[in-house]
Amino acid sequence: MLMRSDPLDVPTALRIGRGTLRKMRQNLGWAIGYNAIALPIAAGVFEPAFGLILRPEIAALSMSGSSFIVAVNALSLKGLRLPDGTPSPTPDRQEQSARDAVEPSVH
């Protein structure tokens, strides 16, 4: 279960959602870039001008490599750092706590 009835799980859900969208965009960009380059080469578009053509078995291997890269990129989502449930200190609070540690305030 992704979320419980705890409102503190909202930042975690948002972080997971943003990370998933980022990976989807990366994978889409990779796939579009690969297909924009590899498909014309495999179809022989550059053969008359440059003599460049891919043999079918090499094209299949490169397509498998592309799929492998997309899958590994998606698996890297497992390394997403999730919030621990406690609010992170703001820079002002960090500076104040650092000052309090060095100079105890006298009231």
Side-chain angles (χ1 to χ4, degrees):
M1 176 168 26
L2 180 61
M3 290 185 61
R4 300 176 303 259
S5 295
D6 187 3
L8 295 176
D9 285 340
V10 172
T12 301
L14 290 174
R15 178 79 53 98
I16 291 170
R18 287 186 190 117
T20 301
L21 282 174
R22 186 176 61 250
K23 288 299 172 189
M24 287 170 56
R25 288 183 188 119
Q26 288 173 358
N27 287 340
L28 182 63
W30 170 258
I32 288 172
Y34 167 80
N35 287 322
I37 294 169
L39 287 177
I41 293 172
V45 171
F46 299 117
E47 185 178 13
F50 304 108
L52 184 61
I53 191 165
L54 283 177
R55 295 189 345 223
E57 55 273 8
I58 301 299
L61 281 174
S62 65
M63 186 60 122
S64 297
S66 172
S67 298
F68 178 75
I69 289 172
V70 167
V72 168
N73 189 30
L75 285 175
S76 70
L77 189 60
K78 285 179 138 183
L80 184 69
R81 284 207 238 167
L82 299 177
D84 59 356
T86 58
S88 60
T90 62
D92 294 336
R93 288 184 186 165
Q94 288 176 343
E95 290 173 9
Q96 182 62 39
S97 64
R99 275 188 254 130
D100 289 344
V102 174
E103 302 173 9
S105 62
V106 178
H107 294 295

